Amino acid sequence: ELYVWTFFSLNMIENKIETCLYSYNDIKELPGAIQNLMQQAVTARTNAYAPYSNFQVGAAIQLKNGEVVVGSNQENAAFPSGLCAERVAIFSAGALFPKEEISTICITASSVLKDTLEPIPPCGACRQSLLEYENKQGKNIEVYFMGKMGNVIKSNSIKNLLPFIFKEDSL
Ligand code: THU
């Protein structure tokens, strides 16, 4: 999935990292269980508390035991005190089901200010946080993200969204 190509030349090594993402025109092209999970993310999105950005994000996490944990972005008048939907969801999953395997996260974002018809990828801080849980469980977490509707991008793991990561063994 995540390929590293190494090239040697006289006095240096060049590493090329290749990643892999899949694009679908519509959520209807995906399995029913994923459509259902994305629908729960859409519902979660409507519970965003986003009076400052008017940008509403929802995330739904499928656990292996069948439970679904959702999150939405929660803003604050002191802007950096707010939190993204993905981290609200993954931290809730970690707090509520610390031993349970996380299979999939579906993410959707809409804006009051414009139509978000292209997929909205998770921010860097969320990718870092999601990867922590992928490493913790030693199993890939699938990611699907879209805008308000339409085009969906799938990644088979968080690593594919964040190669060359700072992680536990970096410490
Ligand atoms: N936001 C998310 O919830 N997830 C992301 O990955 C990017 C941004 C939220 C944070 C803030 O409430 C609003 O979207 C605008 O940045």
Side-chain angles (χ1 to χ4, degrees):
E1 280 295 318
L2 192 75
Y3 303 100
V4 182
W5 304 98
T6 305
F7 304 93
F8 299 91
S9 71
L10 196 58
N11 48 17
M12 66 141 179
I13 297 167
E14 179 184 346
N15 285 312
K16 284 208 167 116
I17 300 176
E18 257 178 29
T19 186
C20 178
L21 299 171
Y22 304 89
S23 180
Y24 300 87
N25 286 325
D26 195 277
I27 193 70
K28 291 197 183 75
E29 294 173 6
L30 291 160
I34 300 301
Q35 292 185 40
N36 187 279
L37 192 64
M38 188 60 92
Q39 193 48 52
Q40 294 188 65
V42 170
T43 303
R45 197 180 76 198
T46 66
N47 294 327
Y49 174 60
Y52 305 106
S53 70
N54 284 310
F55 191 81
Q56 299 178 308
V57 186
I61 289 176
Q62 180 68 62
L63 302 178
K64 207 177 167 191
N65 68 358
E67 295 274 355
V68 172
V69 178
V70 299
S72 55
N73 52 327
Q74 301 295 315
E75 296 186 350
N76 194 284
F79 291 175
S81 302
L83 199 61
C84 293
E86 297 89 329
R87 274 176 287 164
V88 169
I90 198 88
F91 294 158
S92 297
L96 293 167
F97 302 98
K99 298 213 163 72
E100 204 52 47
E101 191 180 313
I102 296 162
S103 316
T104 310
I105 180 167
C106 284
I107 305 160
T108 171
S110 71
S111 172
V112 174
L113 309 174
K114 61 168 194 174
D115 263 346
T116 52
L117 298 176
E118 292 302 314
I120 309 281
C123 81
C126 286
R127 296 179 203 198
Q128 180 77 30
S129 297
L130 292 167
L131 198 81
E132 184 73 25
Y133 291 85
E134 185 165 279
N135 288 339
K136 178 188 170 203
Q137 69 185 21
K139 290 254 179 70
N140 286 1
I141 300 174
E142 285 185 342
V143 188
Y144 294 85
F145 54 88
M146 70 171 190
K148 185 181 178 183
M149 57 175 78
N151 193 195
V152 180
I153 304 261
K154 179 196 181 191
S155 174
N156 280 339
S157 80
I158 312 293
K159 275 178 217 77
N160 283 16
L161 294 175
L162 193 62
F164 210 55
I165 183 73
F166 178 89
K167 55 183 188 289
E168 191 188 359
D169 53 17
S170 310
L171 294 171

